[in-house]
Amino acid sequence: LLLVLALFLIYAAYVITNPASPLDTVSYSEDDKEISITYSRPYKKGRLIFGKESESALVPFDQYWRTGANRHTVINTNSDLNFEDNVLSIGEYSLYTTPGLNTWNITFNSTNAYFGISRPDSEKDLFTITVPSNQIDESIEQFTIDFVIDSLSSNIRFRWDTTEVKIPFN
């Protein structure tokens, strides 16, 4: 019995320190503006990622997605950010999405302490914006969030499988 308990504890420690979807943080810094996004990064592993629920997609269209795996995705900013006509004030927030075939809804929520399996309380949603999704030629194996700056805007970019979403901010 002691051996079984010891093996279980070793296995549990291994799973905790080597998750299938590792936690990552990406950062953006320009002038006095600092933004970080912390999220879990699942792998494709040959699965259909985005699609219809009837096709057994991992992330079905038009349904809540925690935007990663395991825990919720958190955005932290030291200055006010503008997303379309909405202002995200200084602080830490959760971010979740509702992917669609051609557009995604990106929701910022004042809750920042939940595991992520269930949708956060919609009464704590600050605002939702809709952005286009694009198909890309290269298949991205692991869900990736990064920042992309071009001549017109700064963007938070999501990429996984052959889908790319850019969320402009300033």
Side-chain angles (χ1 to χ4, degrees), residues 131-160:
V131 296
S133 68
N134 302 301
Q135 292 298 302
I136 55 177
D137 294 331
E138 175 188 7
S139 180
I140 307 299
E141 176 65 22
Q142 189 176 19
F143 177 58
T144 303
I145 298 176
D146 59 7
F147 292 92
V148 179
I149 290 68
D150 59 34
S151 60
L152 300 175
S153 65
S154 300
N155 298 276
I156 299 169
R157 178 174 66 174
F158 301 158
R159 292 183 300 156
W160 199 14

Side-chain angles (χ1 to χ4, degrees), residues 80-91:
D80 292 351
L81 300 176
N82 294 304
F83 293 91
E84 294 179 353
D85 294 330
N86 303 286
V87 176
L88 186 67
S89 300
I90 295 169

Side-chain angles (χ1 to χ4, degrees), residues 41-107:
R41 300 188 63 203
Y43 288 88
K44 180 178 174 173
K45 297 182 182 177
R47 301 175 287 189
L48 173 64
I49 300 302
F50 302 107
K52 296 177 183 174
E53 188 172 19
S54 62
E55 299 171 327
S56 299
L58 183 63
V59 182
F61 290 145
D62 304 318
Q63 292 187 25
Y64 160 80
W65 182 40
R66 59 185 147 192
T67 317
N70 304 332
R71 54 182 277 179
H72 63 290
T73 296
V74 173
I75 182 169
N76 191 311
T77 178
N78 74 339
S79 61
D80 292 351
L81 300 176
N82 294 304
F83 293 91
E84 294 179 353
D85 294 330
N86 303 286
V87 176
L88 186 67
S89 300
I90 295 169
E92 184 173 270
Y93 305 93
S94 63
L95 177 156
Y96 67 88
T97 56
T98 306
L101 177 62
N102 298 310
T103 60
W104 283 32
N105 290 334
I106 314 297
T107 302

